Amino acid sequence: MKIGKETIPKTSISTSNADTIIVRGKNLSTELIGKTSFVDYFHLLVTGNAPTPAASAILNATLVAIAEHGLVPSVQASRMTLAAAPEVFQGAVAAGILGCGSVILGASETAGRLFWEIRERAGAAKNYHEAAREVATEYRNARIPIPGYGHPLHKEGDARVKALFDVAVVEGIDLSFVHIAQALENVLPEVTGKKLLLNVSAAIPAVLLGIGFPLRALKGVPILARTAGLIAHLAEELEQPIGFALSYQATREVQYAGSTPEDFIPSH
Amino acid sequence: MKIGKETIPKTSISTSNADTIIVRGKNLSTELIGKTSFVDYFHLLVTGNAPTPAASAILNATLVAIAEHGLVPSVQASRMTLAAAPEVFQGAVAAGILGCGSVILGASETAGRLFWEIRERAGAAKNYHEAAREVATEYRNARIPIPGYGHPLHKEGDARVKALFDVAVVEGIDLSFVHIAQALENVLPEVTGKKLLLNVSAAIPAVLLGIGFPLRALKGVPILARTAGLIAHLAEELEQPIGFALSYQATREVQYAGSTPEDFIPSH
Amino acid sequence: MKIGKETIPKTSISTSNADTIIVRGKNLSTELIGKTSFVDYFHLLVTGNAPTPAASAILNATLVAIAEHGLVPSVQASRMTLAAAPEVFQGAVAAGILGCGSVILGASETAGRLFWEIRERAGAAKNYHEAAREVATEYRNARIPIPGYGHPLHKEGDARVKALFDVAVVEGIDLSFVHIAQALENVLPEVTGKKLLLNVSAAIPAVLLGIGFPLRALKGVPILARTAGLIAHLAEELEQPIGFALSYQATREVQYAGSTPEDFIPSH
Amino acid sequence: MKIGKETIPKTSISTSNADTIIVRGKNLSTELIGKTSFVDYFHLLVTGNAPTPAASAILNATLVAIAEHGLVPSVQASRMTLAAAPEVFQGAVAAGILGCGSVILGASETAGRLFWEIRERAGAAKNYHEAAREVATEYRNARIPIPGYGHPLHKEGDARVKALFDVAVVEGIDLSFVHIAQALENVLPEVTGKKLLLNVSAAIPAVLLGIGFPLRALKGVPILARTAGLIAHLAEELEQPIGFALSYQATREVQYAGSTPEDFIPSH
């Protein structure tokens, strides 16, 4: 079935013949394997260009920042999935990635779009405070949550944010989006009535946009990062399984709120 | 419901309090972000230890080798999924990862187990040829396919194999598993009657086992690598969609082999 | 980590002790297995109540209408996934379900929300035409696509729509949402400048809302239906594999739009 | 890339032209929607034939038996995934389905293969006890677990088994595989030293093989069934979220077994 107008698929990422694989114009075997790091290769794959050393440092720092945060819900989902289907490593990874949605990890992309919008609004004048106030107020009025601010655990500020911004300063990248992110943090109490500090999901796009990483690929960064964390958890699960123990603990205090037959005696 | 005996979940990967995230004994914000590369962090996450420079070079090389190979079936599945559900980047990544199974990318792990078995069999004598012949013959008799040898496209040898083995030699890692992999290649014509050259899925475990990367995490390497490739394809899909064009092309010559009502006129 | 305020999980769907499983207040083994059809059980699971005969007929008809439509992109993705990982049936089903997004199958839910909004707007007066015109114009102005209208293949009307509406009439269900769906079809040429006929994704919520099926579960109907279709395709794939043939066809005319080294000779 | 020999995709499930969708030889809109139940349609899709009334009763009973069993690990994984990505219903369903693996739901298929093997072994003599003893002993010697026997909760027999076998008797289907399943239950104490009662995962293939349902599609039955249960849980999750509460409970007693910096104070 034909859906849409395009019928000839085009791609600019790679091609090959019987002997040679070309990726982004380079010979994979002679110019890339052993010659470039995986993270620089990721940058090349996504953008078509090798990163500058500063861009490479930033991309590495963001991937390290977000790869692992303990037994968060998506890691639990992944470990329970491996416990139930231990022969399917990739299925458990996929289950964990499916939890990288709007609430947990998706904020990297939506915060990136928000910063972009503030920068557009500020225009040549670059009054980021005023633009941040305007855009945040519009989000507020449209009842759209502000992505990338506040955290259930780190109420006094997320140390990962400071670490990422430090790398940005040391590497000398464009700090426009860092300033926008901070401007927004400053106006949020006024707009929302709450102190909502920058969290890691806002710091990531703030520094990635500063190296020219494309908006549309932002969501890929937490996904790639989290995949590394999931693989570590699943390797641990294969050695020391806890998927079913997590599941058991999760339901110890479950309350059944439905009806039961008269003669039914609950077991817990 | 209690499944199994363990009820208290344990993990050695990370812990945190309100201020600090500890990963493998290190403070994420002050000791890892900006201080270590993502690939070295992946090694730390999986094994508990930072890699040596040689181990880091090998791990990077394997990830680069396997991240991208064009519009393979799992990339097509991923791009079609994004075309159908463009709002769900993580769903399309997950769909692509689900294609990392036994036929396409899973051979890294199964070839690793095969090499391990050959090394065990060879014992102190280290006659890898003889052990490879024995084990390959047993696989053959049990009708288990030999993973990691042969390739539909690269019939004259996969240049990625040479590139990975070159890195192994230059970095001076333990080459036992490389020798085992080559010994197996040498005996396969005799055992199977076919020339079956080492492909990249065998070269990857051959060098990773040489840096002490754990067998049980081998499958994670092609999955992490392929996630990077998928993200690049999905970022391209968002900019220049081909998911539906691929789908259209795929079905242009489909033959319907079932019955139809008498008055039905096929449209193609 | 605590996310949100709730810490005690509650559910009204089922409970059990060592002998007995209670689902929605009924004993699974003595009151449900062999006593109720799977579709009626699905209705009970989702809503807490057994369906009336009319509701059962409607729910069955919608599930039949949407379960199968040939080698659509998500079925291709699913069959390619099984070809690559033939040992993981559930992974291939999951990959196929991930393609049930906004473009392909998600319209059932969004069209349902649109109809609900038109009904709210019409209020007691029940002038559905006027309300449909208003809401459709608002969608148009906000550049939100109208879900559930138009089809790439069935330009002269989707026979599944007629079939579903016939069942609705015969079964005597509440036809309000059918009338709303038709009112919207009538005003669309005026609002959009295009003839956009009701497709099956709009007909499904039109009849399901007429039996009181909850809005929030609407998306589940095409997913359950499509799962049946995927299982049939995967059972066929195990017997007569075409996943790789689809993939081969899909890329026969692919054009590589990137650069290549000077000495690279494309193979196709 | 060409993988394998087949290049022309063939399917016998469905075809269509601009007006008409044909499924298994029938016109979807005029012969199936409103004329057949969803479960009978599933049978038609998978096997090519409409079921007999007895086969329909059995297929419905098995789907009802396995659709729902409370907050099992895969349901928890699914609800946590929806909590993290509430905009992606299909992603949460997919995550839940990925937990339908060998340990939890996959036993339906593997038990089916085991029964098939016992029947082949018994041959014309139909001494199922002797054949069951032989095959179970071989499994035991090869250290392959016997699928479909024993249950963590229902130690005194699973009432769903009795319910399914009652339907089989009432409907008058071929009981060969029920007898094989019971023969195996009888010999297991002798072979394994443990009383291991038939569980629902063995009863399902025992009755489905009795209606001629194909072995290769057996795994589809618990997947389709469980999809219905997952949809009910996800609809409940959208109304009354517990995904994060489950996750919180799951980790309340987690022990961190790794090292920490000297100055780190655990929060729990």
Side-chain angles (χ1 to χ4, degrees):
Chain A
M1 189 189 334
K2 196 171 147 189
I3 307 173
K5 286 178 195 164
E6 278 302 332
T7 57
I8 304 297
K10 290 189 188 68
T11 181
S12 301
I13 297 174
S14 74
T15 190
S16 60
N17 63 22
D19 304 314
T20 309
I21 301 168
I22 304 299
V23 179
R24 293 294 192 184
K26 297 195 178 303
N27 183 316
L28 173 59
S29 300
T30 60
E31 298 183 275
L32 295 167
I33 297 174
K35 310 285 198 309
T36 186
S37 76
F38 175 59
V39 169
D40 288 5
Y41 187 54
F42 174 55
H43 191 283
L44 174 68
L45 279 167
V46 169
T47 69
N49 298 301
T52 63
S56 176
I58 291 291
L59 187 52
N60 273 286
T62 57
L63 288 162
V64 170
I66 199 81
E68 166 62 19
H69 196 180
L71 292 163
V72 293
S74 62
V75 170
Q76 292 184 38
S78 178
R79 293 187 75 146
M80 288 181 192
T81 302
L82 195 68
E87 70 284 7
V88 195
F89 201 94
Q90 75 270 24
V93 174
I97 286 173
L98 289 170
C100 298
S102 60
V103 174
I104 298 288
L105 285 171
S108 284
E109 189 210 9
T110 46
R113 294 194 181 281
L114 170 57
F115 299 158
W116 197 269
E117 197 177 345
I118 292 172
R119 201 183 65 158
E120 297 288 296
R121 189 71 60 91
K126 298 196 179 179
N127 185 336
Y128 296 142
H129 265 80
E130 187 48 36
R133 185 180 292 111
E134 275 179 36
V135 174
T137 305
E138 289 166 17
Y139 269 56
R140 187 85 180 154
N141 292 342
R143 307 176 69 95
I144 303 169
I146 307 284
Y149 290 80
H151 193 279
L153 197 56
H154 309 290
K155 295 217 184 292
E156 292 313 306
D158 187 326
R160 292 172 294 178
V161 174
K162 183 181 180 310
L164 286 173
F165 288 179
D166 285 353
V167 177
V169 170
V170 167
E171 296 291 340
I173 68 162
D174 172 3
L175 296 175
S176 306
F177 292 96
V178 170
H179 296 149
I180 288 167
Q182 291 169 328
L184 182 56
E185 187 181 54
N186 287 338
V187 303
L188 278 181
E190 176 193 333
V191 174
T192 68
K194 277 184 285 190
K195 183 179 166 193
L196 289 167
L197 298 179
L198 260 165
N199 66 37
V200 72
S201 289
I204 284 173
V207 299
L208 284 176
L209 293 174
I211 62 165
F213 200 80
L215 254 184
R216 69 177 182 283
L218 276 184
K219 204 171 183 184
V221 171
I223 290 174
L224 181 63
R226 202 44 67 102
T227 303
L230 287 167
I231 291 165
H233 276 281
L234 295 173
E236 189 182 67
E237 181 72 22
L238 288 175
E239 202 181 24
Q240 178 180 310
I242 63 170
F244 290 145
L246 289 166
S247 166
Y248 165 73
Q249 292 283 344
T251 55
R252 280 177 66 191
E253 300 195 23
V254 163
Q255 294 174 357
Y256 176 63
S259 63
T260 53
E262 280 191 17
D263 57 347
F264 179 78
I265 301 158
S267 64
H268 55 138
Chain B
M1 188 191 334
K2 196 171 149 190
I3 307 173
K5 286 178 193 164
E6 278 302 332
T7 58
I8 304 297
K10 289 189 188 69
T11 181
S12 302
I13 297 175
S14 74
T15 189
S16 59
N17 63 21
D19 303 316
T20 308
I21 302 168
I22 305 298
V23 179
R24 293 294 193 184
K26 298 196 179 302
N27 183 316
L28 172 60
S29 301
T30 61
E31 298 182 276
L32 294 167
I33 296 173
K35 310 285 198 309
T36 186
S37 76
F38 175 58
V39 169
D40 288 5
Y41 187 54
F42 173 55
H43 191 283
L44 174 69
L45 280 166
V46 170
T47 69
N49 297 300
T52 62
S56 176
I58 290 291
L59 187 52
N60 273 285
T62 56
L63 288 162
V64 170
I66 198 82
E68 167 61 19
H69 196 179
L71 292 163
V72 293
S74 62
V75 170
Q76 292 184 37
S78 179
R79 292 187 76 146
M80 288 182 194
T81 302
L82 195 67
E87 70 285 7
V88 194
F89 200 93
Q90 75 270 23
V93 174
I97 286 173
L98 289 170
C100 298
S102 60
V103 173
I104 298 288
L105 285 171
S108 284
E109 189 210 8
T110 46
R113 296 195 180 280
L114 170 58
F115 299 157
W116 197 270
E117 198 177 345
I118 293 171
R119 200 183 67 158
E120 297 290 295
R121 188 71 59 92
K126 298 197 180 181
N127 185 336
Y128 295 142
H129 264 81
E130 187 47 36
R133 185 181 291 111
E134 276 179 35
V135 175
T137 304
E138 288 166 18
Y139 269 56
R140 186 85 180 156
N141 292 341
R143 308 176 68 94
I144 302 170
I146 308 285
Y149 289 80
H151 193 280
L153 197 57
H154 309 291
K155 296 218 183 291
E156 293 312 308
D158 186 327
R160 292 172 292 179
V161 174
K162 182 180 182 310
L164 286 173
F165 287 0
D166 284 353
V167 177
V169 170
V170 168
E171 296 291 338
I173 68 163
D174 171 3
L175 295 175
S176 306
F177 293 96
V178 171
H179 296 149
I180 289 167
Q182 290 169 328
L184 182 55
E185 187 182 53
N186 287 337
V187 302
L188 278 182
E190 176 193 335
V191 175
T192 68
K194 276 185 286 189
K195 183 179 165 193
L196 288 168
L197 298 179
L198 261 164
N199 66 37
V200 72
S201 289
I204 285 174
V207 298
L208 285 175
L209 293 173
I211 63 166
F213 200 80
L215 253 184
R216 71 178 180 283
L218 276 184
K219 203 170 183 184
V221 171
I223 289 174
L224 181 62
R226 202 44 67 101
T227 302
L230 287 167
I231 290 165
H233 276 282
L234 295 173
E236 189 184 65
E237 180 72 21
L238 288 174
E239 204 182 22
Q240 177 179 313
I242 62 168
F244 290 146
L246 288 166
S247 166
Y248 165 73
Q249 292 283 345
T251 54
R252 280 177 65 192
E253 300 196 22
V254 163
Q255 294 174 358
Y256 176 63
S259 62
T260 53
E262 280 190 18
D263 57 347
F264 178 77
I265 301 158
S267 64
H268 54 139
Chain C
M1 187 191 332
K2 195 171 149 190
I3 308 173
K5 285 176 194 166
E6 278 302 331
T7 58
I8 304 297
K10 289 188 188 69
T11 182
S12 302
I13 297 175
S14 74
T15 189
S16 60
N17 63 21
D19 304 314
T20 308
I21 302 168
I22 304 298
V23 179
R24 294 294 192 184
K26 297 196 178 303
N27 183 316
L28 173 59
S29 301
T30 61
E31 298 183 275
L32 296 167
I33 296 173
K35 309 286 198 309
T36 186
S37 76
F38 175 58
V39 168
D40 288 5
Y41 187 54
F42 173 56
H43 191 281
L44 174 70
L45 279 166
V46 169
T47 69
N49 297 300
T52 62
S56 176
I58 291 291
L59 187 52
N60 273 285
T62 57
L63 288 162
V64 170
I66 199 83
E68 167 62 19
H69 196 179
L71 292 163
V72 294
S74 62
V75 170
Q76 292 184 38
S78 179
R79 292 187 77 147
M80 288 182 193
T81 302
L82 195 68
E87 70 284 6
V88 195
F89 201 94
Q90 75 270 23
V93 174
I97 286 172
L98 289 170
C100 298
S102 60
V103 174
I104 298 288
L105 285 171
S108 283
E109 190 210 8
T110 46
R113 295 194 180 280
L114 169 57
F115 299 157
W116 197 270
E117 198 177 345
I118 292 171
R119 201 183 67 157
E120 297 288 298
R121 188 72 58 90
K126 298 198 180 178
N127 185 337
Y128 295 142
H129 265 81
E130 187 47 38
R133 185 180 292 112
E134 275 179 37
V135 174
T137 305
E138 289 166 18
Y139 269 57
R140 187 84 180 156
N141 292 341
R143 307 175 69 94
I144 303 170
I146 307 284
Y149 288 80
H151 193 280
L153 196 57
H154 309 291
K155 296 219 183 291
E156 292 312 307
D158 187 327
R160 292 172 292 179
V161 174
K162 182 180 181 311
L164 287 173
F165 287 0
D166 284 353
V167 177
V169 169
V170 168
E171 296 292 340
I173 68 163
D174 172 3
L175 296 175
S176 307
F177 292 96
V178 171
H179 296 149
I180 288 168
Q182 290 169 327
L184 182 55
E185 187 182 52
N186 287 337
V187 303
L188 278 181
E190 176 192 333
V191 175
T192 68
K194 276 184 285 189
K195 184 179 165 193
L196 289 167
L197 298 180
L198 261 164
N199 66 37
V200 72
S201 288
I204 285 173
V207 298
L208 284 176
L209 293 173
I211 62 166
F213 200 80
L215 253 184
R216 69 177 182 284
L218 276 184
K219 204 171 183 184
V221 171
I223 289 175
L224 181 62
R226 203 43 69 101
T227 302
L230 287 167
I231 291 165
H233 276 281
L234 295 172
E236 188 183 66
E237 180 72 22
L238 289 175
E239 203 182 22
Q240 177 180 312
I242 61 169
F244 290 146
L246 288 166
S247 166
Y248 165 72
Q249 292 284 344
T251 54
R252 279 176 66 191
E253 300 195 22
V254 163
Q255 294 175 358
Y256 176 62
S259 62
T260 53
E262 279 190 19
D263 57 347
F264 178 77
I265 301 159
S267 64
H268 55 138
Chain D
M1 187 190 335
K2 196 170 148 189
I3 307 174
K5 285 178 195 164
E6 278 302 332
T7 58
I8 304 296
K10 289 189 188 67
T11 182
S12 302
I13 297 174
S14 74
T15 190
S16 60
N17 63 23
D19 303 314
T20 309
I21 301 168
I22 304 299
V23 179
R24 293 295 191 183
K26 296 196 180 303
N27 183 315
L28 173 59
S29 300
T30 61
E31 299 184 275
L32 295 166
I33 297 173
K35 311 285 198 307
T36 186
S37 76
F38 175 59
V39 169
D40 288 5
Y41 188 54
F42 174 56
H43 191 282
L44 174 69
L45 279 166
V46 169
T47 69
N49 298 300
T52 63
S56 176
I58 290 291
L59 186 52
N60 272 286
T62 57
L63 288 163
V64 170
I66 200 82
E68 167 61 19
H69 196 180
L71 293 162
V72 293
S74 62
V75 170
Q76 293 184 38
S78 179
R79 292 187 76 146
M80 288 182 192
T81 302
L82 195 68
E87 71 285 6
V88 195
F89 202 93
Q90 76 270 24
V93 174
I97 286 173
L98 289 170
C100 297
S102 60
V103 174
I104 299 288
L105 284 172
S108 284
E109 189 210 8
T110 46
R113 294 193 180 282
L114 170 57
F115 298 158
W116 197 269
E117 197 176 346
I118 292 171
R119 200 184 66 157
E120 297 288 298
R121 188 71 60 91
K126 297 197 180 180
N127 186 337
Y128 295 142
H129 265 80
E130 187 49 37
R133 185 180 292 111
E134 276 179 36
V135 174
T137 305
E138 289 165 17
Y139 269 56
R140 186 84 180 157
N141 292 342
R143 307 176 70 94
I144 302 170
I146 307 285
Y149 288 80
H151 194 279
L153 197 56
H154 309 291
K155 296 218 183 293
E156 292 313 307
D158 187 326
R160 292 172 292 179
V161 174
K162 183 180 179 310
L164 286 174
F165 288 0
D166 284 352
V167 177
V169 170
V170 168
E171 296 291 339
I173 67 163
D174 172 4
L175 296 175
S176 305
F177 292 97
V178 171
H179 295 150
I180 288 168
Q182 291 169 327
L184 182 54
E185 187 182 53
N186 287 338
V187 303
L188 278 181
E190 175 193 334
V191 175
T192 69
K194 276 184 286 190
K195 183 180 166 194
L196 288 168
L197 298 179
L198 259 164
N199 66 37
V200 72
S201 288
I204 284 173
V207 298
L208 284 176
L209 293 173
I211 62 165
F213 200 81
L215 254 183
R216 69 177 182 284
L218 276 184
K219 204 172 183 184
V221 171
I223 289 174
L224 181 63
R226 202 43 69 100
T227 302
L230 287 167
I231 291 165
H233 276 282
L234 295 172
E236 188 183 66
E237 180 72 21
L238 289 175
E239 202 181 24
Q240 178 180 310
I242 62 170
F244 290 145
L246 289 167
S247 166
Y248 165 73
Q249 292 283 344
T251 54
R252 280 177 65 191
E253 300 195 23
V254 163
Q255 294 175 359
Y256 175 64
S259 63
T260 53
E262 280 191 16
D263 57 347
F264 179 78
I265 301 158
S267 64
H268 54 144

